[in-house]
Amino acid sequence: MAERDLYDVLGVSRDATQDDIRKAYRRLAREHHPDVNQGPEADRRFKEINLAYQTLSDPAKRRQYDMFGGEGLTPDMFGFGPDLADLFGAFFGGSFTRPRTRSRPTRARRGG
């Protein structure tokens, strides 16, 4: 997908409120939903509208997008990719995404 400004995708200004963004999304989603719009670009456009809404409706993602543009949306900002935890797990065992629980042997109490 060619990168377009997400504010332009929703047809809102950069200082749009969360309510403005939500209203624009709902209007466009109804218009471009593939079940309603049988046009050849409906599916692509609907996905583009959803990406714009998911980004701009979340304050943290919106700040990141405002600072870095579309590059800020990638989950791989530092070049490690999503499989870094799998790589470490392969070498060191376990998973870095879920805490590993280890049962500890209990000490028998000494009578006394």
Side-chain angles (χ1 to χ4, degrees):
M1 171 170 69
E3 187 174 323
R4 284 185 54 195
D5 181 69
L6 299 183
Y7 292 97
D8 287 343
V9 169
L10 292 180
V12 296
S13 66
R14 288 197 170 272
D15 61 349
T17 65
Q18 290 297 315
D19 193 47
D20 294 337
I21 290 169
R22 183 182 48 79
K23 286 177 184 177
Y25 167 74
R26 286 186 175 178
R27 179 180 48 80
L28 291 169
R30 276 194 304 267
E31 182 181 334
H32 294 283
H33 193 281
D35 289 344
V36 175
N37 186 337
Q38 300 300 317
E41 291 290 308
D43 188 52
R44 182 199 59 79
R45 180 81 169 113
F46 187 70
K47 288 177 183 177
E48 186 178 50
I49 292 164
N50 276 314
L51 173 66
Y53 179 71
Q54 288 172 5
T55 303
L56 299 179
S57 65
D58 180 306
K61 289 180 184 178
R62 185 176 179 178
R63 273 192 305 277
Q64 189 172 2
Y65 176 76
D66 288 344
M67 290 178 78
F68 302 108
E71 316 250 316
L73 298 177
T74 61
D76 181 17
M77 286 183 64
F78 301 105
F80 295 120
D83 296 327
L84 182 64
D86 292 338
L87 179 65
F88 276 104
F91 285 105
F92 302 110
S95 170
F96 288 93
T97 57
R98 284 180 274 161
R100 190 168 67 175
T101 58
R102 183 170 59 168
S103 62
R104 298 178 115 181
T106 57
R107 291 186 178 181
R109 291 188 177 182
R110 295 184 185 194

